[in-house]
C-alpha cells in the first residue's frame, strides 16, 4: 500500500494524463478527527490513485462523511497528513479544495430552489461578459453537462419544479462542470433509476479514463461491481481494510462493516396474504401524473410499486393518502368506499403514507422522539379536554421505542440527531400507534445502512403478518423481489402490469417498466 | 436484530438536547434580568421600591400580553405585525360602545376584545386560505385596523368615559386603604393591579396549554414542519388560524387595559408595540424559524425590555438613547442564541 511519503513529486501531475498507478493523487495518513467528547475518526489511512474509483464503505456513523468532509475542506482534521498531488495540503475551506480540483457531490441536495438548473450548476462561477452574466454560455455549459448524463433536463427549468432524482442529476452535473481531478460521490445513485445509474457509471468510466480519481460512497454494494477498483471499509471511525474490489466478496464487505457476518439481506417472509381485500383502487387518475390506475391490496400482502423515475408511483400513493388531489377514480377500504379530500380523511380510514423524503415530510425534526411518535394520534393519550396525559404519552412512546428497537439516548432527543434508520422507525411507530390498516412505504430504505435496512424489512414483514396491507414503492429491484408478494409495474403514469413476484425477475420488471408491453 | 445493527449515537448524545437549550436560554435571559435589576438598584435609589415595582409591572403587562400572542404565532411559523393597531381599534371600539351605545363597561370591553379576535381571524384566514405570507397579511391588517380606529374616532381621543371604565387598568386586588386621622386616605398595601394579575393568569394558562394540550403540541409541530404535520393528520390551517385569533384576542385585551388606564381611548395608542412583542419573544428564546419557544421566556423577555426602559428613565437616559440600547440588546441576545445553536 502506498503512503504519503513521496513528497518528491512536488509538481504533481499537471493535467489529467494517463493513469499512472504509482504516485497517488491523494494520500491520507493517520487522520483523526475529534468533536467535543466524540472521536469520529482515529488514525485512518486512505489513498486514491489517478484513474481509479475507490469505494468507502461503512455503516452510518462509521466516519465516512467526516472523512469526506476533511478531504473536501469542510472540516479540518485534528491530526494526520493530507498529501494531494504530492504536496502536503490542508484545505481551509471547500472553496480552496475546489480550486485545487476537488469536488464533492453531496448526499443532501444543496440546490437553490428559485434559480434555474443552469444557474445552479454555475452558481458562484457564472460565465461573464463584462459585468453581466453570459446567459448563453451559462445555458450551453449546463446543457453540455446534463447531456453527458443523459438527464434530459431543460437548463432553464427552475430547480423547485424538479423531482428528487432530477435534483440529484443536477448535483452531479454541477460537479462535472468543475472539471475536477478528484471527485467525491456520496450516495450519487440513491434516488436514481437503474437506467440513470447506468448512465452515471458510463460517465464515471469516462472520468476514470481521463485520469480523474473518484471516491465513491454508496449503500448499494451490488452496483459497485460495475465501477469500483478498490474498496476501503471503515467501522467506528477506524480503518478496517482496503482491498482490490475483485478480491473480496460483497458478504465479506458487509461482515467487515457490521463487525460480524450478516447472513441475509432480506428476512424470511413470514406473512401470507389472505384472500381478503383491504384496499381497492379503481381508475385513479390525475392529469399529467397518472391515469386509470387500478389495483387491489390484500390483508397481509406486500405489493411492490416498481418503475422508472417519473412513472407516477409516488404520485399515486400521495393521492391515495389525500396529500395531493385525485381527479377521478374510486377507493374502497374493506369494501367501504371512501372520499378522500385531505390526509385527515385517509388517516381516519386507516391509511398511512411514509414519505420518500423523511426530513421534509415525515418528521417534525426539531421535536423530540416521543412527540413525533404520538403526533398522528395525540387523542389517544389525551383526556376529553384535549390535555395530554404525560404518563400515558411517555408509556406509549417508550412502547414503540422498545418494540421497534429505536436507538435513542432518551425520549426527549430531537429526531434530527438520530440516524436515518432510527428516523424511519419513528415514522413507522407513528403509524402503528394510529393502527393503520394500509401502509404506503415510499423508498423506505433510501440512505439507510445495511443493518438498519434489514431491521426495516423485518418490521415490514411483521406488519404484513399482522394483517396490514403494505405497498412498497422502491427503485431497488432486489428489494422489490426480496420483499413483495406481487409487483405493480408503472410506466409513464400507467400501471402496466401486475406480476407475481415468485414468478418474475429483474429483466421482466424492467421490460415492462421501460415501456414495452404498453399498447 | 440485535445490538450492533445500528450505529452508536454517541455524537448525538454529546450534544445538548433542545430542552436543555431552552432551559439555558431561559436562565440566560433570567440572569440578565437579575443583572439589570442589580445594576439599576445601584445607580438609582428610587429604582428598588414597591411603587416603582408596581409601575414596572404595569408597563410590562402590555408588552407581555402581546408577547404571549406573538410567541404562539411565531412558534407556529408565522408573525403578527398587526397587534399594535389592533389594540388601538379594540380600545376605541370598547370606548365608543360605552360612550355612544351606552353599553355597560364589561360588555363594551368584551366587544373590544371580540374585535381583536375578529382581526386575528381575518389574519388567520388570509394566511391559510388566500395563502399570503404572514408578514404581508398582518402588515395589511396593521394599516386597516389603524385606519379604522382613526376613522371611527375622527382621529380624536375619546374621553369622558366614567370611572368604571378605568377600573380594569387602575384597580387592584387586595388593596388596603385606611382613612388617616388627617382625613386623607393612606395606602397600606397597593394591592396587585388587575392588569398584572391578568397577565400572570394568561401567561400560566397559555404556557400550560402549549405544553400539555393536543392543540399546543400541534402548534409546535406545525412550526417545526408544516408538511410533516399535515401528513400526520394535523389540521394545519385550523391550528395556524387559531394562533392568529389568540394573538388578536390578546391585542384586544391589551387595548382595553391600556385605554382603561388612561380612561381615554386614543386611536394612536400602541404604535410599534408589535415590535416590542416580537422582541420580547425573541429575547426569551423563541426562534423566528418556528417550532421553538416558551411563554416563560417571553415573560422574562418582556421584563427585560420593561426594566431596561424604566431603569434608563430613572437614570435620566433620553428616550432616543433608550431605543438605541434596546436595539443593541435585541441584537446581542439573538446573536448569543445563534452562537449557542451553531455547530
Amino acid at each position: 500500500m502506498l503512503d504519503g511519503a513521496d513528497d518528491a513529486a512536488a509538481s504533481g501531475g499537471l493535467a489529467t494524463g494517463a493513469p499512472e498507478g504509482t504516485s497517488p493523487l491523494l494520500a491520507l495518513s493517520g487522520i483523526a478527527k475529534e468533536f467535543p467528547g466524540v472521536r469520529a475518526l482515529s488514525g485512518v489511512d486512505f489513498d486514491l490513485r489517478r484513474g481509479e474509483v475507490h469505494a468507502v464503505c461503512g455503516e452510518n456513523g462509521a466516519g465516512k462523511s467526516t472523512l469526506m468532509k476533511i478531504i473536501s475542506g469542510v472540516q479540518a482534521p485534528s491530526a494526520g497528513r493530507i498529501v494531494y498531488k504530492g504536496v502536503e495540503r490542508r484545505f481551509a475551506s471547500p472553496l480552496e479544495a475546489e480550486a485545487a480540483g476537488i469536488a464533492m457531490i453531496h448526499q443532501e441536495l444543496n440546490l437553490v430552489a428559485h434559480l434555474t438548473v443552469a444557474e445552479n450548476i454555475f452558481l458562484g462561477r457564472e460565465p461573464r461578459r463584462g459585468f453581466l452574466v453570459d446567459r448563453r454560455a451559462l445555458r450551453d455549459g449546463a446543457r453540455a453537462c446534463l447531456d453527458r448524463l443523459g438527464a434530459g433536463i431543460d437548463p432553464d427549468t427552475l430547480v423547485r419544479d424538479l423531482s428528487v432524482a432530477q435534483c440529484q442529476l443536477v448535483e452531479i452535473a454541477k460537479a462535472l462542470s468543475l472539471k475536477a481531478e478528484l471527485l467525491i460521490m456520496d450516495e450519487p445513485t440513491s434516488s436514481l433509476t437503474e437506467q440513470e445509474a447506468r448512465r452515471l457509471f458510463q460517465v464515471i468510466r469516462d472520468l476514470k479514463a481521463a485520469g480523474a480519481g473518484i471516491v465513491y460512497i454508496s449503500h448499494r454494494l451490488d452496483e459497485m461491481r460495475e465501477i469500483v477498483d478498490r474498496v476501503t471499509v471503515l467501522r467506528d471511525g477506524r480503518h478496517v481494510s482496503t482491498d482490490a474490489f475483485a478480491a473480496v466478496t460483497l458478504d465479506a464487505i458487509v461482515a467487515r462493516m457490521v463487525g460480524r457476518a450478516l447472513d441475509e439481506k432480506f428476512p424470511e417472509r413470514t406473512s401470507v396474504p389472505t384472500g381478503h381485500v383491504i384496499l381497492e383502487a379503481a381508475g385513479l387518475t390525475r392529469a399529467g401524473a397518472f391515469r386509470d390506475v387500478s389495483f387491489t391490496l390484500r390483508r397481509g400482502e406486500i405489493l411492490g410499486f416498481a418503475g422508472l423515475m417519473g412513472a407516477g408511483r409516488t404520485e399515486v400513493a400521495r393521492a391515495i393518502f389525500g396529500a395531493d388531489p385525485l381527479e377521478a377514480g374510486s377507493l374502497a377500504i374493506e369494501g367501504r368506499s371512501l372520499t378522500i379530500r385531505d390526509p385527515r380523511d385517509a388517516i381516519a380510514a386507516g391509511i398511512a403514507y411514509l414519505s420518500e423524503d423523511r426530513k421534509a415530510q415525515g418528521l417534525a425534526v426539531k421535536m423530540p422522539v416521543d412527540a413525533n411518535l404520538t403526533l398522528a394520534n395525540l387523542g389517544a393519550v389525551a383526556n376529553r379536554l384535549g390535555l395530554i396525559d404525560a404518563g400515558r404519552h411517555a408509556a406509549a412512546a417508550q412502547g414503540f421505542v422498545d418494540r421497534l428497537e429505536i436507538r435513542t439516548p432518551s425520549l426527549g432527543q430531537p429526531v434530527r440527531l438520530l440516524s436515518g434508520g432510527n428516523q424511519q422507525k419513528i415514522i413507522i411507530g407513528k403509524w402503528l400507534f394510529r393502527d393503520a390498516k394500509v401502509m404506503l412505504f415510499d423508498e423506505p430504505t433510501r440512505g439507510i445502512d445495511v443493518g438498519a435496512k434489514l431491521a426495516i424489512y423485518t418490521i415490514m414483514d411483521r406488519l404484513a403478518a399482522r394483517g396490514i396491507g403494505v405497498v412498497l414503492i422502491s427503485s431497488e429491484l432486489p428489494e422489490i423481489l426480496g420483499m413483495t408478494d406481487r409487483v405493480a409495474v408503472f410506466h409513464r403514469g400507467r400501471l402496466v402490469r401486475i406480476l407475481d413476484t415468485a414468478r418474475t425477475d429483474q429483466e421482466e420488471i424492467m421490460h415492462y417498466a421501460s415501456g414495452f408491453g404498453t399498447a | 436484530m440485535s445490538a450492533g445493527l445500528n450505529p452508536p449515537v454517541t455524537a448525538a448524545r454529546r450534544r445538548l438536547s433542545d430542552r436543555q437549550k431552552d432551559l439555558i436560554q431561559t436562565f440566560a435571559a433570567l440572569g440578565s434580568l437579575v443583572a439589570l435589576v442589580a445594576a439599576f438598584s445601584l445607580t438609582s435609589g428610587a429604582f428598588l421600591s414597591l411603587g416603582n415595582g408596581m409601575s414596572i409591572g404595569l408597563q410590562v403587562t402590555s408588552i407581555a400580553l402581546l408577547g404571549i400572542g406573538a410567541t404562539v404565532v411565531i412558534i407556529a411559523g408565522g408573525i403578527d405585525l398587526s397587534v399594535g393597531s389592533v389594540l388601538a381599534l379594540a380600545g376605541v371600539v370598547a370606548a365608543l360602545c360605552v360612550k355612544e351605545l351606552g353599553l355597560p363597561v364589561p360588555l363594551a370591553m368584551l366587544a373590544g376584545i371580540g374585535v381583536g379576535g375578529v382581526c386575528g381571524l381575518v389574519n388567520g384566514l388570509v394566511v391559510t386560505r388566500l395563502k399570503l405570507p404572514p408578514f404581508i397579511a398582518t402588515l395589511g391588517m396593521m394599516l386597516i385596523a389603524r385606519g379604522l380606529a382613526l376613522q371611527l374616532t375622527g382621529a380624536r381621543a375619546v374621553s369622558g368615559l366614567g370611572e368604571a371604565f378605568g377600573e380594569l387598568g387602575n384597580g387592584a386586588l387586595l388593596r388596603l386603604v385606611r382613612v388617616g386621622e388627617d382625613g386623607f386616605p393612606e395606602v397600606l398595601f397597593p394591592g396587585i393591579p388587575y392588569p398584572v394579575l391578568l397577565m400572570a393568569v394568561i401567561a400560566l394558562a397559555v404556557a400550560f396549554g402549549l405544553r400539555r394540550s393536543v392543540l399546543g403540541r400541534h402548534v409546535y409541530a406545525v412550526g417545526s414542519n408544516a408538511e410533516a404535520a399535515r401528513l400526520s393528520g394535523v389540521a394545519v390551517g385550523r391550528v395556524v388560524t387559531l394562533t392568529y385569533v389568540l394573538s388578536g384576542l390578546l391585542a384586544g385585551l391589551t387595548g382595553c387595559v391600556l385605554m382603561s388606564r388612561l380612561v381615554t381611548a386614543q386611536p394612536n395608542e400602541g404604535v410599534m408595540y408589535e415590535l416590542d412583542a416580537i422582541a420580547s419573544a425573541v429575547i426569551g428564546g423563541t426562534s423566528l424559524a418556528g417550532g421553538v419557544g416558551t411563554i416563560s421566556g417571553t415573560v422574562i423577555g418582556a421584563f427585560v425590555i420593561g426594566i431596561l426602559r424604566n431603569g434608563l428613565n430613572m437614570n435620566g437616559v433620553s428616550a432616543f438613547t433608550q431605543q438605541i440600547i434596546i436595539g443593541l440588546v435585541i441584537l446581542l441576545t439573538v446573536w448569543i442564541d445563534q452562537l449557542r445553536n451553531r455547530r
Side-chain angles (χ1 to χ4, degrees), chain B:
Chain B
M1 325 186 55
S2 63
L5 274 185
N6 289 319
V9 282
T10 41
R13 200 174 292 145
R14 304 296 171 150
R15 287 179 191 144
L16 295 172
S17 82
D18 273 10
R19 275 175 194 175
Q20 283 168 313
K21 271 187 200 152
D22 283 354
L23 219 61
I24 290 175
Q25 174 72 38
T26 305
F27 279 113
L30 203 59
S32 56
L33 194 61
V34 171
L36 277 179
V37 171
F40 286 137
S41 306
L42 290 177
T43 55
S44 166
F47 180 79
L48 207 62
S49 68
L50 195 58
N52 192 46
M54 206 66 78
S55 75
I56 290 175
L58 281 168
Q59 283 169 5
V60 164
T61 307
S62 55
I63 303 175
L65 281 176
L66 298 176
I68 290 166
T71 306
V72 177
V73 169
I74 294 171
I75 291 173
I79 191 98
D80 190 349
L81 299 177
S82 68
V83 291
S85 298
V86 169
L87 78 83
L89 179 62
V92 161
V93 166
L96 290 177
C97 281
V98 170
K99 192 151 186 194
E100 305 292 329
L101 304 180
L103 287 185
V105 170
L107 220 55
M109 291 201 166
L110 280 180
I113 296 170
V115 165
V118 170
C119 291
L121 181 65
V122 172
N123 280 336
L125 293 178
V126 170
V127 169
T128 57
R129 296 284 165 85
L130 303 188
K131 313 255 182 237
L132 293 194
F135 191 96
I136 300 300
T138 59
L139 187 69
M141 178 56 72
M142 172 179 169
L143 296 170
I144 293 168
R146 180 71 66 191
L148 277 174
L150 291 164
Q151 189 101 54
L152 284 173
T153 57
R156 280 184 297 272
V158 184
S159 53
L161 294 167
E163 202 172 307
F165 196 84
E167 184 62 20
L168 176 67
N170 300 296
L173 191 71
L174 301 173
R175 185 179 171 90
L176 292 177
V177 182
R178 186 183 64 176
V179 177
E181 281 150 24
D182 51 3
F184 286 106
E186 186 189 343
V187 178
L188 294 176
F189 177 63
I192 306 162
Y194 289 137
V196 175
L197 205 62
L198 216 51
M199 175 193 79
V201 170
I202 287 173
L204 285 175
V206 176
F208 182 79
L210 274 181
R211 189 168 291 266
R212 290 285 307 278
S213 78
V214 172
L215 182 61
R217 182 65 63 78
H218 284 175
V219 167
Y220 281 103
V222 167
S224 177
N225 187 342
E227 184 61 6
R230 184 175 84 98
L231 296 183
S232 299
V234 174
V236 175
R238 198 185 308 161
V239 171
V240 168
T241 305
L242 279 175
T243 63
Y244 287 100
V245 170
L246 178 71
S247 178
L249 288 171
L250 289 174
L253 178 65
T254 313
C256 290
V257 170
L258 278 172
M259 309 293 178
S260 167
R261 270 185 74 194
L262 305 167
V263 207
T264 306
Q266 276 279 8
N268 276 318
E269 185 68 51
V271 174
M272 299 252 283
Y273 275 32
E274 53 278 342
L275 299 186
D276 273 357
I278 294 167
S280 67
V282 166
I283 291 175
T286 302
S287 156
L288 285 176
V292 176
T294 58
I295 296 300
S296 56
T298 299
V299 171
I300 292 170
F303 269 94
V304 168
I305 295 176
I307 286 181
L308 210 53
R309 285 236 169 86
N310 176 283
L312 293 172
N313 262 332
M314 303 208 79
N315 284 290
V317 177
S318 84
F320 312 135
T321 316
Q322 284 182 32
Q323 292 208 20
I324 296 171
I325 292 176
I326 292 174
L328 289 174
V329 166
I330 292 171
L331 296 183
L332 190 73
T333 13
V334 178
W335 181 59
I336 292 173
D337 188 36
Q338 296 212 335
L339 277 187
R340 197 175 292 126
N341 287 317
R342 214 169 279 163
R343 53 186 91 246

Side-chain angles (χ1 to χ4, degrees), chain A residues 279-297 303 305 311-322 324-333 337-340 351 438 440 471 473 488 490-496:
Chain A
L279 174 73
E280 186 161 12
L284 303 184
T285 298
R286 187 170 76 238
F290 51 87
R291 197 146 50 101
D292 201 19
V293 171
S294 305
F295 65 91
T296 58
L297 177 67
L303 172 66
F305 276 15
R313 298 167 297 160
T314 295
E315 289 77 2
V316 168
R318 283 179 60 92
I320 292 172
F321 186 62
D324 295 326
L326 197 57
E327 280 166 8
S330 65
L331 284 169
I333 279 228
S337 76
L338 293 172
T339 316
I340 288 173
I351 302 174
V438 172
L440 314 169
V471 169
I473 303 175
F490 286 75
H491 174 72
R492 296 197 169 205
R494 285 189 175 261
L495 200 169
V496 183

Side-chain angles (χ1 to χ4, degrees), chain A residues 230-366:
Chain A
R230 285 192 300 160
V231 54
T232 288
V233 177
L234 298 180
R235 186 171 71 233
D236 298 334
R238 288 172 191 285
H239 176 264
V240 176
S241 64
T242 298
D243 298 282
F245 194 80
V248 282
T249 63
L250 291 186
D251 289 340
I253 295 173
V254 171
R256 285 174 197 167
M257 281 165 59
V258 298
R260 64 186 176 77
L262 203 62
D263 327 327
E264 53 201 3
K265 288 205 291 184
F266 299 102
E268 189 74 18
R269 286 292 307 280
T270 56
S271 64
V272 184
T274 65
H276 187 91
V277 171
I278 193 160
L279 174 73
E280 186 161 12
L284 303 184
T285 298
R286 187 170 76 238
F290 51 87
R291 197 146 50 101
D292 201 19
V293 171
S294 305
F295 65 91
T296 58
L297 177 67
R298 290 170 293 162
R299 281 177 65 94
E301 180 180 44
I302 301 182
L303 172 66
F305 276 15
L308 302 177
M309 174 191 121
R313 298 167 297 160
T314 295
E315 289 77 2
V316 168
R318 283 179 60 92
I320 292 172
F321 186 62
D324 295 326
L326 197 57
E327 280 166 8
S330 65
L331 284 169
I333 279 228
E334 293 177 321
R336 273 172 296 123
S337 76
L338 293 172
T339 316
I340 288 173
R341 271 156 286 135
D342 65 19
R344 291 157 55 75
D345 295 332
I347 292 166
I351 302 174
Y353 170 68
L354 293 88
S355 141
E356 166 181 28
D357 192 340
R358 287 185 293 274
K359 280 185 182 151
Q361 297 173 10
L363 295 164
V365 287
K366 292 177 196 166

Side-chain angles (χ1 to χ4, degrees), chain A residues 70-132:
Chain A
I70 286 171
I71 297 175
S72 61
V74 177
Q75 284 169 352
S78 313
R81 272 158 47 93
I82 303 171
V83 178
Y84 176 62
K85 294 205 267 187
V87 184
E88 181 158 357
R89 298 291 299 261
R90 198 162 271 211
F91 301 114
S93 73
L95 273 179
E96 228 179 276
E98 226 173 77
I102 299 178
M104 175 153 179
I105 299 168
H106 291 272
Q107 187 183 358
E108 308 93 32
L109 304 168
N110 295 315
L111 298 174
V112 184
H114 293 277
L115 295 183
T116 67
V117 168
E119 284 163 344
N120 265 284
I121 290 175
F122 289 103
L123 193 61
R125 311 172 281 119
E126 293 82 356
R128 284 159 197 257
R129 221 169 34 193
F131 287 109
L132 301 173

